[in-house]
Amino acid sequence: MSEEQISMPTKYDPKSVEQGRYDWWVNGKFFEAKDDESKQPYSIVIPPPNVTGKLHLGHAWDTTLQDIITRMKRMQGYDVLWLPGMDHAGIATQAKVEQKLREEGKSRHDLGREKFLEEAWKWKEEYADHIRKQWAKLGLALDYSRERFTLDEGLSKAVRKVFVSLYEKGLIYRGKYIINWDPVAKTALSDIEVIYKEIPGAFYHMRYPLKDGSGYIQIATTRPETMLGDTAVAVHPKDERYQHLIGKTVILPIVNREIPIIADEYVDMEFGTGAVKITPAHDPNDFEVGNRHNLEQIVVMNEDATMNENAGKYQGMDRFECRKQLVKDLQEAGVLVEIEEMVHSVGHSERTDAIVEPYLSTQWFVKMEPLAKAALDIQKSEDTKVHFVPSRFEKEYINWMEGLHDWCISRQLWWGHQIPAWYHKETGEIYVGVEAPKDIENWEQDEDVLDTWFSSALWPFSTMGWPEETADLKRYYPTNTLVTGYDIIKFWVSRMIFQGVEFTGTRPFKDVLIHGLVRDAQGRKMSKSLGNGVDPMDVIDQYGADSLRYFLATGSAPGQDLRYSTEKVESVWNFINKIWNASRFALMNMNGLKYEEIDLSGEKSVADKWILTRLNETIETVTKLAEKYEFGEVGRALYNFIWDDFCDWYIEMAKLPLYGDDEQAKLTTRSILAYVLDNTMRLLHPFMPFVTEEIWQNLPHEGESITTAPWPTVNEAYTDKEAAAQMKLLVEIIRSVRNIRAEVNTPLSKKIKMIISAHDDNTLQTLKMNQSYIERFCNPETLQIALNVDSPEKAMTAVVSGAEIYLPLEGLIDIEEEIARLEKELEKLNKEVERVEKKLSNENFVSKAPKAVVEAEREKQKDYLEKRSIVQTRLEEIKAL
């Protein structure tokens, strides 16, 4: 077959190949779950991206690993369900929509709730379409017929059902508590939506004067603006220093309000002065102390973190402006003793980066203790537990669940699941229900929405139709596998587990495959501030989805972070080109071979038997490793087989029969090329769906798509350990001869004399039978193969398994010329060693030059010394001949 007759282009172009297969992934006809009773069901959970914009590399990593698993399982004959969907992402999406409105000179309050939600839904539709296109571009084999969204009607029904059920069990309650407050988004946050950062701050030491004029008590705070809401000073009941002051009253500076000195075991006698200010409305610990002592709760801030009417003359100021002015006033009043500068850990909003304010507010909470206990109980049995991969993450999960606080689930937003609670306009009675009250005109619904994670926690079963007993729920739940990053074990994994246990009585998934974070080449977390982010769609545009997917899947071990490297993605692109070129060569030499004409029954060469053996070994290795989610090791096994065994060795050896006159040998070789390539493409397909589909369609094949082709299995009839050992010997010999040629700068094109001394008859027969390979790849002028040959006087020698190789120097090299060349090289290296050692012996250079520069010079020194040693040894060997 000529090049013109092959439909594969001369060069691999990811853009044309992947665009040609793009529609296959979009319509998803190969990927719809069939509910086929003859097949075992297998389902996988996709982390739903939020509808705020582009997919990031972390999501590309998640979904690539999931796609690999689902494609493999589908090929293995499972009835696979991979259901796509998206998350409404309350805070993030509302912020984006509000930003868009601001650019138009509007606010959500100008529109009102109903019109604002219409704008939010328009945003969702626009960006959901972007995400679908990105999924398709990445090559994801999703079942689009079952796509879900966390705000669609079915999921909304599930959310209401769960809320009402937990409320009726007493596990959801409404109360006034200190919560994390985001003053920019103006909403409550759960504990895990708060990111702690080290920032400069100070301890402000103040004296609160006793009312009776007998002295003062000293306290310290990092947030002096909250003192405006102080309602007590607390000391430890056993602290002898303050026994005489318990029960007395102090005057709160600036405010001049009388507050008591109380005794409470919360106080640490060893910290600071042993006396602390108590601000029940602005500190979670003070809130608990205040409840024990029936203290007044005075809120001194508005929702936007400006000071309110309880702040007196500071009303209207931003909290930090108030702090500056208040500190100045305290200094002038003579009560500020010291400002002690320090660095401390301060909570920031994960979404807006605003400093979080502990804030007294009426919110809805989930009582976590019984839910967490039930989720932890299933971890006690191998049959019921969620298996974390790597297993070390189970400990992190358990530690988190054991220390859970109640979950604040209400958010002061409009975009989200509105809390299904109504308040009677006249009586104030609370009604909670799946449906609104019948006399709705007498009721007002709670304006808050639920935390986005509340609905996301139901994802594994709500997307399958729960609370209805649907066919999908019965067949595919609980799911088999979840793939996600370790950064959302607390956010999402833990919540899916306890909600799954509570509402379905079982784990939501059997395995959780945990990966790390994608970092830049220097190991830094990707962020806008550093400008080191990478758009996966840009990578695909340059190198193709297959290059990115293979890099993401094989670039690290489970649970480990991945360093993004353009060079590594490019090396995968080179690997794909190698596969492409090898496939074109095979196709050009198949002479139009049809699938039904493939015949492996003929006599096979040692190379034929070896490549079939190596294929069996690779199938076994890849399958075992993939079942354990060791995709990095799978990648290495595939790379070694394809690049080294198939491309570098078998294809070169196949040229002998392909270019020869034996027609039966040609058919056998063509059949083996077709068979090995077919199976190799199937093994590689989950990693590189686009290029493998393209190549497979050009190969002799059976079926419509490689997607539905069977997963390769080991054919024991094609395993030949003896042939593998023989091939190993031939490869050793060829490599040894090539290495010697390289050492003495003798090109392969130059014919040389060659002697092989076999240790035994078996080795001798192997070498004699395969002499054509040795002649083809070693290019000898003369070749002697015999038992126990005496070593020539002047020869280069190599030892291999069962034999020695002798290359007589006569005709191999000009000894005098080689000595002159090596001496010149040695002189050059001596100068380099002298130069670098002189530099490193200079104390000024070592002490003043940047550390990296000094280290670079030391590396050069090490390299030059190693090279010099090698040249010296080689020179001595040549002179001794």
Side-chain angles (χ1 to χ4, degrees), residues 710-758:
W711 182 255
T713 54
V714 172
N715 187 332
E716 294 294 350
Y718 297 149
T719 295
D720 190 326
K721 297 293 184 184
E722 184 179 351
Q726 291 173 352
M727 185 66 182
K728 181 183 176 184
L729 173 61
L730 293 173
V731 168
E732 275 191 90
I733 290 171
I734 294 165
R735 280 182 173 154
S736 296
V737 172
R738 287 177 175 177
N739 288 339
I740 291 172
R741 282 178 173 274
E743 280 182 33
V744 296
N745 294 314
T746 301
L748 189 59
S749 59
K750 182 178 180 180
K751 290 187 175 293
I752 58 172
K753 293 178 181 179
M754 188 172 167
I755 302 166
I756 303 178
S757 174

Side-chain angles (χ1 to χ4, degrees), residues 81-99:
L81 171 63
W82 191 22
L83 179 153
M86 299 171 211
D87 194 297
H88 65 278
I91 296 176
T93 303
Q94 178 152 326
K96 292 282 188 181
V97 177
E98 288 198 69
Q99 180 183 343

Side-chain angles (χ1 to χ4, degrees), residues 6 78 99-100 106 120 152 216 295 381 433 436 458 516 526 567 583 587 601 610 624-625 648 762 779 812 820 833 842:
I6 300 176
Y78 288 83
Q99 180 183 343
K100 179 174 175 286
K106 304 173 190 174
D152 69 30
Y216 59 84
L295 298 176
S381 167
L458 316 180
M526 291 185 174
E567 291 74 21
S583 301
L587 284 164
S601 63
W610 167 74
K624 283 183 178 178
L625 289 171
D648 285 358
N762 284 339
N779 194 21
L812 181 67
V833 168
N842 185 331

Side-chain angles (χ1 to χ4, degrees), residues 760-771:
D760 53 63
D761 285 329
N762 284 339
T763 304
L764 181 65
Q765 290 307 311
T766 296
L767 296 173
K768 290 275 190 183
M769 288 170 58
N770 296 286
Q771 186 167 333

Side-chain angles (χ1 to χ4, degrees), residues 817-833:
E817 188 178 299
E818 182 65 6
I819 289 173
R821 187 188 71 80
L822 289 171
E823 285 179 339
K824 187 176 181 181
E825 181 67 16
L826 183 61
E827 183 183 357
K828 178 184 172 184
L829 287 167
N830 281 333
K831 288 179 180 178
E832 292 295 345
V833 168

Side-chain angles (χ1 to χ4, degrees), residues 303-315:
E303 291 183 350
D304 62 356
T306 59
M307 309 307 291
N308 67 14
E309 66 280 1
N310 292 326
K313 68 177 184 177
Y314 306 104
Q315 182 177 357

Side-chain angles (χ1 to χ4, degrees), residues 397-439:
Y397 161 73
I398 289 172
N399 288 341
W400 170 252
M401 294 295 283
E402 287 176 341
L404 274 183
H405 298 116
D406 286 357
W407 176 16
C408 177
I409 56 171
S410 46
R411 298 290 181 270
Q412 289 63 53
L413 305 169
W414 287 353
W415 176 244
H417 293 279
Q418 195 168 354
I419 290 173
W422 288 260
Y423 308 104
H424 198 280
K425 293 177 182 177
E426 294 182 3
T427 65
E429 176 191 352
I430 298 179
Y431 165 80
V432 172
V434 174
E435 304 296 336
K438 292 180 180 178
D439 53 337

Side-chain angles (χ1 to χ4, degrees), residues 283-301:
D283 183 277
N285 295 313
D286 293 4
F287 174 78
E288 298 296 337
V289 174
N291 282 346
R292 287 196 289 271
H293 296 271
N294 297 313
L295 298 176
E296 185 182 2
Q297 298 167 339
I298 302 174
V299 177
V300 297
M301 289 184 202

